[in-house]
Amino acid sequence: IKNYDTNIEIKGKFEITGEPKRITQNELKKEYFSLKNLDKYEIENNILLKARGFNAEYIKAFRSSLKKDKYGNIAIPNYKIQEIQDSNGEIKETLDICGYTRRLNYPITKDKNGKELENPIKNLQNGLKGLEILTTHNKREDLKNINRIIITESIIDSLSLGQMMDYNPHQTLFISTAGQFNEQELQKALCFMLKLMPKANIILAFDNDQRGREYQETLTNYFIKEHQKLTNSLKPFAKDCNDDLR
């Protein structure tokens, strides 16, 4: 397999060249759900999961929700609050898939001309970025079983914390800000989810750096002010939770 994506040209920082492919929201969702799930063998032997120190037995709980692209890269769904029209013609807000992130087993280290990249590309995005969310439940009504919500800067970190603390994956919702922190969008999504899981405990475990501490403080204050809810704040010993796991 060639180690580049022909749709990406690198000029210092990478930029997309050419006309981007237009795709509707429904087409994007159909594209994501058409991806196959990782089976037991693939989870046990996935290159990325093994390199990140995951216990296959813990990750197997996500067999019904962890999907892969045609190269075996894990695909994580991204969610945003979106407006939809119901059967009565009324506009309502819901949390729905807006894109998905492919976590590459082998980072892209060269551009299409063979030139080494200053920063290897570890993820590729399809559609819009939003919150990365993983759960073992495929039906919204089953989310009532969730009693814990983990929020970090990377879904890898959220899963790492779950494994280290031995949190029951069937009772835990794993959330990542996906490398971005749009406070307004994040708060709208969290407000929607807390209506479905009002009794869930909130665990914040952002990176052990200045930006992570700022994120932690912002969300701690948000939950207290808007939901009268205390959070559990955990600080990684290393840079992030996955570094601690490894």
Side-chain angles (χ1 to χ4, degrees):
I1 298 174
K2 295 181 180 178
N3 195 17
Y4 62 77
D5 187 312
T6 55
N7 295 315
I8 295 176
E9 180 178 343
I10 308 300
K11 295 180 180 178
K13 293 185 177 179
F14 79 86
E15 59 186 65
I16 306 297
T17 60
E19 183 66 24
K21 179 183 177 182
R22 302 296 179 183
I23 185 170
T24 67
Q25 185 67 24
N26 287 335
E27 288 173 333
L28 181 68
K29 287 176 63 176
K30 184 177 180 181
E31 178 180 293
Y32 171 74
F33 284 113
S34 71
L35 299 177
K36 293 182 179 180
N37 290 75
L38 271 74
D39 60 29
K40 176 182 175 181
Y41 174 82
E42 290 169 323
I43 289 175
E44 290 175 345
N45 294 278
N46 181 270
I47 294 168
L48 178 65
L49 294 175
K50 291 174 74 172
R52 294 302 187 104
F54 285 108
N55 182 335
E57 292 305 314
Y58 190 81
I59 302 299
K60 284 176 185 176
F62 300 91
R63 281 167 59 186
S64 64
S65 52
L66 268 183
K67 292 184 175 295
K68 62 177 181 177
D69 67 9
K70 61 182 179 180
Y71 300 113
N73 299 304
I74 293 174
I76 305 294
N78 287 217
Y79 292 81
K80 291 174 79 77
I81 291 292
Q82 301 174 51
E83 292 185 342
I84 60 170
Q85 189 174 49
D86 64 16
S87 56
N88 297 319
E90 295 182 8
I91 301 299
K92 294 184 177 181
E93 288 189 337
T94 188
L95 188 65
D96 206 354
I97 290 177
C98 62
Y100 61 95
T101 306
R102 288 181 285 157
R103 301 268 173 172
L104 303 181
N105 289 323
Y106 299 102
I108 298 172
T109 59
K110 299 179 181 179
D111 66 13
K112 63 181 181 181
N113 297 318
K115 183 180 178 181
E116 292 286 342
L117 303 182
E118 183 177 345
N119 297 307
I121 299 171
K122 298 179 181 180
N123 311 309
L124 292 176
Q125 186 70 24
N126 290 60
L128 299 175
K129 266 198 170 188
L131 290 180
E132 291 182 313
I133 301 177
L134 268 184
T135 172
T136 63
H137 304 291
N138 291 322
K139 296 181 180 179
R140 181 163 289 182
E141 54 266 30
D142 292 336
L143 294 176
K144 64 180 182 294
N145 298 314
I146 298 294
N147 59 27
R148 182 184 299 107
I149 299 174
I150 297 175
I151 307 174
T152 71
E153 294 178 52
S154 163
I155 202 67
I156 297 294
D157 291 335
S158 296
L159 291 170
S160 297
L161 182 62
Q163 179 177 309
M164 286 189 292
M165 303 299 288
D166 197 26
Y167 291 144
N168 186 334
H170 303 295
Q171 298 176 342
T172 305
L173 188 70
F174 300 82
I175 299 178
S176 153
T177 59
Q180 58 182 1
F181 196 89
N182 184 317
E183 188 173 341
Q184 184 178 10
E185 291 288 336
L186 178 58
Q187 291 180 2
K188 287 169 63 176
L190 291 173
C191 185
F192 184 91
M193 286 185 279
L194 284 177
K195 291 178 182 178
L196 301 175
M197 299 161 274
K199 296 182 179 180
N201 295 316
I202 308 297
I203 300 174
L204 307 177
F206 290 100
D207 288 3
N208 186 10
D209 55 22
Q210 182 60 35
R211 187 175 64 175
R213 288 187 285 273
E214 291 172 358
Y215 292 169
Q216 201 105 336
E217 181 179 2
T218 297
L219 280 189
T220 297
N221 292 336
Y222 162 75
F223 282 112
I224 292 174
K225 181 180 179 180
E226 301 296 333
H227 300 282
Q228 295 73 53
K229 205 174 187 65
L230 295 176
T231 62
N232 295 320
S233 294
L234 302 178
K235 184 174 74 171
F237 291 101
K239 180 184 179 298
D240 56 42
C241 291
N242 187 246
D243 283 345
D244 285 355
L245 176 65
R246 289 186 286 175

